[in-house]
């Protein structure tokens, strides 16, 4: 039995490291091999209606208990790491104690989560999802450091006439998302440092839902009352605070199958074994709660819910940064199908944002879609051949799309603003927008039809425009482009 903890730790470390690298990698290399790890996270699987993953996770829980929380969930593993660091201080090694289940908190958060999930209020239910919270923490904290380190290596390599590394722009894409990530990290870190799995067993709705099924797991830790001498070490070392050593009972809804108790017990009184029909360590079944949790589980599982920054003057002069235009309708990537579909399925994990090579995706600051990705073209444009975001999305918010379909999918249409246009103002002849339009939706026509020497201005065919943003990004007008993209509620293939 002693080796079970070692195996669990190795698997957890591998999962944590790979999941962290998935959010750091901007080359797309890791996603080709390990992108499936994001798709086996519980809420993304539910929103993507990935029946195979959902059934597999539930079967895993019914067999072995809440293994998901200690081996697969990156936020759960992060809590274990913080708790382990805290335990390095000798006086905190056996600092835990049994505490009764806080039912009103656990089921209150779960109920709120399900209501928000079914209502499709993505800006709120994603705050409670452990996978999304972990993704925001990594993308907001570690990724800037990672990219800065890459840029240092790129500078050193360039001086040695090597292009093994290349520069990547670093910028704060959303201050509200950064603040939310900071708040989430502080909350989780403090609770884990002081109380181990307090967040996991009190706030996390995924943990509560899986905890319902883990009550009936076939394999579980059990206490042999004949061997137990009542020392209480198992309870003091249990980071889930679920072992009542005085009454020889274990709350299996909170046990995360970490095997710490098995290794801690010097009497060999605790073992991980096949569940028996009658056990002293099992609490009476609450039939009312069982029915309530079964209903909410059904609702949850059936809910359908860096290219470089362009410097158009060749870098010969300081250029004023562009401002984000006011768009009546947000722009979401091809594959999202519609704004409604996207907002109902997106968990705001930031994985597509970190994978976007063109610096087009960033977290929304709108209250109704807070932290969910949207597109804007101040730092790049959406290249028609790029499908990275659809390849990495684990929740089905951006359905995988072929390159040829992507190139003909309309996600928005260009709008010309005469007062910002150099040609319309008579300052200079410019045809950047027409020259770089990949769909040929922009043609140049005279500003004054009666003057044969008139400057030319853009005319837009909205039926051919796909909304890629090349015109907006490459327009030399500052601070607002003379042409910008307005989103559409529902995408269509043109």
């Amino acid at each position: 039995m002693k080796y079970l903890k070692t195996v669990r730790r190795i698997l957890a470390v591998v999962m944590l490291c790979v999941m962290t690298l998935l959010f750091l990698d901007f080359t797309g290399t890791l996603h080709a091999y390990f992108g499936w790890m994001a798709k086996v996270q519980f809420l993304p699987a539910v929103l993507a209606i990935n029946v195979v993953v959902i059934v597999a996770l539930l079967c895993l829980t019914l067999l072995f208990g809440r293994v998901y929380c200690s081996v697969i969930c990156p936020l759960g593993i992060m809590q274990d790491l913080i708790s382990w660091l805290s335990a390095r201080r000798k006086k905190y090694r056996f600092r835990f104690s049994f505490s009764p289940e806080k039912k009103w908190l656990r089921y209150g958060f779960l109920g709120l989560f399900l209501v928000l999930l079914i209502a499709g209020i993505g800006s709120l239910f994603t705050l409670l999802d452990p996978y999304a919270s972990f993704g925001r923490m990594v993308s907001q904290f570690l990724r800037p450091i990672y990219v800065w380190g890459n840029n240092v290596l790129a500078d050193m390599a360039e001086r040695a006439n090597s292009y093994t590394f290349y520069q990547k722009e670093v910028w704060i894409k959303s201050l509200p998302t950064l603040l939310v990530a900071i708040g989430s990290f502080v909350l989780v870190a403090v609770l884990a440092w002081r109380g181990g799995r307090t967040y996991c067993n009190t706030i996390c709705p995924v943990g509560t839902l899986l905890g319902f099924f883990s009550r009936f797991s076939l394999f579980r830790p059990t206490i042999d009352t004949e061997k137990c001498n009542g020392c209480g070490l198992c309870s003091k070392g249990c980071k889930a605070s679920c072992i009542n050593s005085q009454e020889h009972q274990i709350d299996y809804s909170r046990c995360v199958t970490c095997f710490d108790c098995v290794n801690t017990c010097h009497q060999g009184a605790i073992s991980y074994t096949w569940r028996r029909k009658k056990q002293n360590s099992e609490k009476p079944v609450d039939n009312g709660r069982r029915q309530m949790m079964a209903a909410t589980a059904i609702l949850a599982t059936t809910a359908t819910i860096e290219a470089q920054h362009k410097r158009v003057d060749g870098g010969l002069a300081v250029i004023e940064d562009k401002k984000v235009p006011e768009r009546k309708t947000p722009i979401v990537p091809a594959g999202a199908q519609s704004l409604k579909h996207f907002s109902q399925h997106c968990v705001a994990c930031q994985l597509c944002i970190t994978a976007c090579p063109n610096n087009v995706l960033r977290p929304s600051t709108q209250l109704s879609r807070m932290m969910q990705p949207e597109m804007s073209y101040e730092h790049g444009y959406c290249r028609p051949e790029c499908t990275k975001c659809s390849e990495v999305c684990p929740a089905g918010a951006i359905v995988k799309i072929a390159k040829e379909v992507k190139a003909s999918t309309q996600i928005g249409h260009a709008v010309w603003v005469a007062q910002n246009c150099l040609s319309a103002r008579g300052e200079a002849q410019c045809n950047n927008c027409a020259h770089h339009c990949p769909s040929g939706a922009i043609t140049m026509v005279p500003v004054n039809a009666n003057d044969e020497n008139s400057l030319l201005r853009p005319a837009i065919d909205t039926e051919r425009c796909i909304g890629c943003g090349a015109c907006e990004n490459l327009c030399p007008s500052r601070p607002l482009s003379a042409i910008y993209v307005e989103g559409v509620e529902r995408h269509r293939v043109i």
Side-chain angles (χ1 to χ4, degrees):
M1 289 296 178
K2 299 294 184 181
Y3 68 88
L4 289 176
K5 180 177 179 180
T6 302
V7 172
R8 181 196 67 81
R9 279 187 168 181
I10 293 173
L11 293 176
V13 169
V14 171
M15 176 63 76
L16 181 64
C17 292
V18 175
M19 285 298 300
T20 301
L21 289 173
L22 281 178
F23 286 97
L24 297 179
D25 178 37
F26 54 80
T27 65
T29 304
L30 287 178
H31 290 282
Y33 300 99
F34 301 107
W36 60 270
M37 288 189 174
K39 296 180 180 180
V40 299
Q41 301 301 317
F42 190 80
L43 183 60
V46 170
L47 294 178
I49 318 181
N50 194 331
V51 178
V52 174
V53 172
I54 295 171
V55 172
L57 292 177
L58 293 181
C59 289
L60 181 68
T61 305
L62 287 172
L63 280 173
F64 304 110
R66 283 175 57 182
V67 176
Y68 172 89
C69 298
S70 57
V71 176
I72 300 176
C73 176
L75 190 69
I77 302 170
M78 189 185 82
Q79 291 177 71
D80 286 346
L81 177 61
I82 295 173
S83 180
W84 177 80
L85 292 174
S86 174
R88 294 303 88 195
R89 302 170 63 181
K90 292 184 178 180
K91 65 178 181 179
Y92 288 122
R93 186 178 179 186
F94 295 103
R95 65 193 187 281
F96 304 117
S97 62
F98 172 75
S99 62
E101 178 186 12
K102 297 177 177 58
K103 298 180 182 179
W104 67 276
L105 271 177
R106 297 185 73 189
Y107 302 130
F109 278 115
L110 176 61
L112 175 63
F113 175 79
L114 291 174
V115 169
L116 296 173
L117 177 64
I118 296 172
I121 307 177
S123 60
L124 296 180
F125 77 72
T126 57
L127 290 173
L128 298 174
D129 177 47
Y131 162 73
S133 295
F134 176 81
R136 287 190 291 269
M137 293 175 194
V138 175
S139 62
Q140 296 297 319
F141 301 155
L142 297 184
R143 193 167 191 271
I145 299 174
Y146 181 82
V147 175
W148 279 325
N150 169 83
N151 291 346
V152 171
L153 293 176
D155 184 63
M156 295 171 62
E158 185 177 356
R159 298 185 185 197
N161 294 322
S162 171
Y163 295 93
T164 304
F165 302 92
Y166 60 89
Q167 295 283 337
K168 184 71 175 177
E169 186 179 7
V170 183
W171 50 290
I172 297 177
K173 297 181 178 180
S174 173
L175 181 58
T177 303
L178 175 61
L179 296 177
V180 169
I182 293 174
S184 299
F185 176 76
V186 170
L187 175 64
V188 172
V190 170
L191 291 178
W193 184 271
R194 296 175 60 87
R197 285 278 185 155
T198 302
Y199 179 90
C200 188
N201 284 333
T202 304
I203 300 175
C204 178
V206 175
T208 301
L209 185 60
L210 293 179
F212 166 76
F213 291 97
S214 68
R215 295 177 187 273
F216 314 107
S217 61
L218 295 181
F219 289 92
R220 55 176 59 179
T222 57
I223 301 176
D224 188 338
T225 56
E226 295 181 358
K227 294 182 179 179
C228 180
N229 63 357
C231 67
L233 282 180
C234 56
S235 179
K236 295 176 182 178
C238 178
K239 58 198 171 191
S241 301
C242 66
I243 301 178
N244 187 345
S245 59
Q246 299 300 317
E247 299 182 12
H248 303 99
Q249 292 180 345
I250 300 176
D251 182 355
Y252 294 112
S253 72
R254 291 184 290 160
C255 175
V256 294
T257 320
C258 65
F259 306 115
D260 284 354
C261 56
V262 176
N263 285 35
T264 300
C265 183
H266 300 312
Q267 307 301 319
I270 301 181
S271 61
Y272 184 70
T273 185
W274 182 272
R275 175 169 62 95
R276 301 164 188 165
K277 291 183 179 180
K278 293 183 180 181
Q279 294 185 38
N280 293 331
S281 59
E282 184 176 4
K283 293 183 178 180
V285 176
D286 188 336
N287 290 325
R289 182 168 58 192
R290 176 187 295 182
Q291 295 172 359
M292 185 276 291
M293 291 299 295
T296 54
I298 293 173
L299 286 174
T301 54
T302 57
T304 311
I305 320 267
E306 297 206 28
Q308 302 303 306
H309 183 47
K310 306 295 184 299
R311 296 293 180 180
V312 295
D313 70 344
L316 299 177
V318 177
I319 299 178
E320 184 179 4
D321 289 336
K322 284 193 175 186
K323 292 183 178 179
V324 180
E326 294 184 7
R327 309 183 203 273
K328 296 180 181 178
T329 306
I331 311 169
V332 292
Q337 301 178 356
S338 67
L339 279 175
K340 182 178 180 181
H341 176 273
F342 184 77
S343 63
Q344 288 181 337
H345 289 76
C346 178
V347 297
C349 68
Q350 318 293 301
L351 191 57
C352 61
I353 295 177
T354 59
C356 178
N358 304 311
N359 285 332
V360 169
L361 289 172
R362 68 201 59 186
S364 174
T365 56
Q366 295 183 11
L367 185 60
S368 61
R369 301 179 60 252
M370 184 70 70
M371 299 181 296
Q372 291 186 342
E374 65 181 14
M375 304 175 73
S376 199
Y377 305 115
E378 291 70 51
H379 293 260
Y381 67 92
C382 188
R383 299 181 182 272
E385 72 278 5
C386 178
T387 57
K388 282 294 182 183
C389 56
S390 73
E391 295 170 5
V392 303
C393 179
I398 310 174
V399 180
K400 191 171 183 179
I401 188 171
K403 293 182 179 180
E404 57 272 17
V405 177
K406 160 73 183 300
S408 58
T409 299
Q410 186 182 62
I411 62 176
H413 61 83
V415 177
W416 180 56
V417 183
Q419 60 266 30
N420 294 340
C421 184
L422 299 178
S423 298
R425 295 202 303 254
E427 296 181 10
Q429 177 59 62
C430 173
N431 66 342
N432 258 17
C433 52
H435 178 71
H436 293 282
C437 179
S439 60
I442 302 176
T443 56
M444 303 302 292
V445 300
V447 175
N448 186 351
N450 298 322
D451 183 2
E452 61 180 14
N453 296 319
S454 174
L455 296 176
L456 302 179
R457 58 106 176 159
I460 303 165
D461 183 351
T462 55
E463 292 301 313
R464 297 186 62 179
C465 178
I466 61 174
C468 67
C471 55
E472 179 181 332
N473 174 248
L474 297 173
C475 177
S477 179
R478 295 293 192 279
L480 291 171
S481 295
I483 190 167
Y484 74 95
V485 178
E486 186 64 55
V488 293
E489 290 282 346
R490 183 176 293 274
H491 297 173
R492 68 185 183 94
V493 178
I494 59 176

